[in-house]
Amino acid sequence: MILEGKTGKWEIVIGLEVHAQVVSNAKLFSGSSAAFGAEPNTQVSFVDAAFPGMLPVINGFCVEQAIKTGLGIEATVNEVSIFDRKNYFYADLPQGYQISQYTRPIVSDGRLVLDLPGGKTKTVGITRLHMEQDAGKSIHDQHPAKSYIDLNRSGVCLMEIVSEPELRSPEEAGAYLKKLRAILRYLGTCDGNMEEGSMRCDANVSVRKVGDTAFGTRCEIKNVNSIRYVMQAIEYEAGRQVQLIEDGGKVDQETRLWDVAKGITRPMRSKEHAHDYRYFPDPDLLPLVLDPKDIARIKASMPELPDAKKARFVDQYKLTPYDASVLVAEQEQAAFFEEVAKGRKDPKLAANWVIVELFGALNKLGKDVTDSPVSAKNLAGLLDLIENDTISGRIAKDVFAIMVETGKDAAGIVEEKGLKQVTDTGAIDAAIAKVMAENEAKVAEYRAGKVTLFGWFVGQVMKATGGKANPAKVNEILKAKLAG
Ligand code: ADP
Ligand code: MG
């Protein structure tokens, strides 16, 4: 995206840091539960509360989840990585440091393919993925003068996934987050729920004049909790920086917050207040050494991921890349589509119905495919009726509306309401004769050369048959009759 400023054209440069909470029963270095939503401080071991002398023991399952995610973003899984201590003082961090990975992360050099409007794609580099512990949570809104600490989250395993500064617009940032979330969900390594905080995003934003090769000074916008807000925050922040520079100021490298209510970013801490984390290798933990056999085993267990599925849908069902990318955005949607499209001579019809009609209806109801009132089997039944000419596409929409409301199957509704298409030429002939007899003046006009009236006649005949006449037959017979 190019911003038009007073002094010329500007380009936005964005790099995203995503914290993804690993799906795991237990925490990264302790056996306590990592489940969301429990009563405060009910899932805290001595390790999570940093009692003196407690030692961390790595959770092998979390490591496997990180490896799986690394493979899912086509990255290098490093056979040796190191855990470091990131030191800072805060009330919800009882250890006084977070165990993280700094110089040698478990995963580096990945990539992600963005699905952009019009079926276009763009590949973005992922610098690294490292494992770290989450901190506890400070609760400030329970008491006017006191803050409370909940350590349930303390020690839960996070993956920090850092992109290269290769994103160039809020839309690309949105597409990046959607794709990353889809991959995490396909893999089952993170549930990707931004509202509950199991996926959190910091956006680094800078601007530069179009044509410049050096990057501008960036600001980091912290913890924005939805994809839409990330996009809005980036757009606002880029505009702010352009205006600032054009007015003769300069951007300070600082951490900013997104203010949802005002729709602006505002400073949180400047570089002078930036932390010095004094990273050093955690002496309680040995280097993490992976067995290549384990990496190979995990690789062999990987599911089909969105890009591969998209390519297969384009190839196997002849869908447009755009339609395919919409369907594969969620595994459950893709599975639903495949159940409807299975063995069908026109899979594109299935894609249209799923994307336009079904997703439209679900959107209105605020439901997902997993709780769709219309099952895949029933939608397939409806498409069968269209394909074998029992009902027209027009009537099918009415039937579908009833299916959404009642959850009943299509054939039953068509039977019950008498919606079978009239393909019997006798009945169509009669309807045409009636329409022509009642509109002699229009027939004369048509025959005198006003052929644009044809559509009007089709409409009248469809109306006369309650919309049930086969449109192709109506067209054919009507043309002949009007010709005289
Ligand atoms: P830090 O450790 O201070 O957060 P990093 O070098 O790890 O710094 O960068 C963090 C993120 O900032 C990365 O996603 C990177 O792509 C992005 N980034 C770096 N420089 C810029 C820049 N000039 N403009 C926008 N994003 C940037
Ligand atoms: Mg950072």
Side-chain angles (χ1 to χ4, degrees), residues 9-70:
K9 294 182 183 350
W10 296 84
E11 180 178 49
I12 313 176
V13 174
I14 305 152
L16 299 179
E17 293 168 84
V18 169
H19 287 90
Q21 184 179 323
V22 169
V23 171
S24 155
N25 291 330
K27 295 181 181 179
L28 180 54
F29 296 113
S30 86
S32 28
S33 168
F36 178 81
E39 279 291 297
N41 297 310
T42 55
Q43 298 174 165
V44 188
S45 72
F46 292 130
V47 175
D48 311 321
F51 274 40
M54 293 295 116
L55 291 174
V57 178
I58 187 125
N59 176 344
F61 181 73
C62 290
V63 176
E64 295 214 353
Q65 293 286 63
I67 295 171
K68 206 180 223 180
T69 308

Side-chain angles (χ1 to χ4, degrees), residues 121-122 245 324:
T121 58
K122 167 172 170 169
I245 300 168

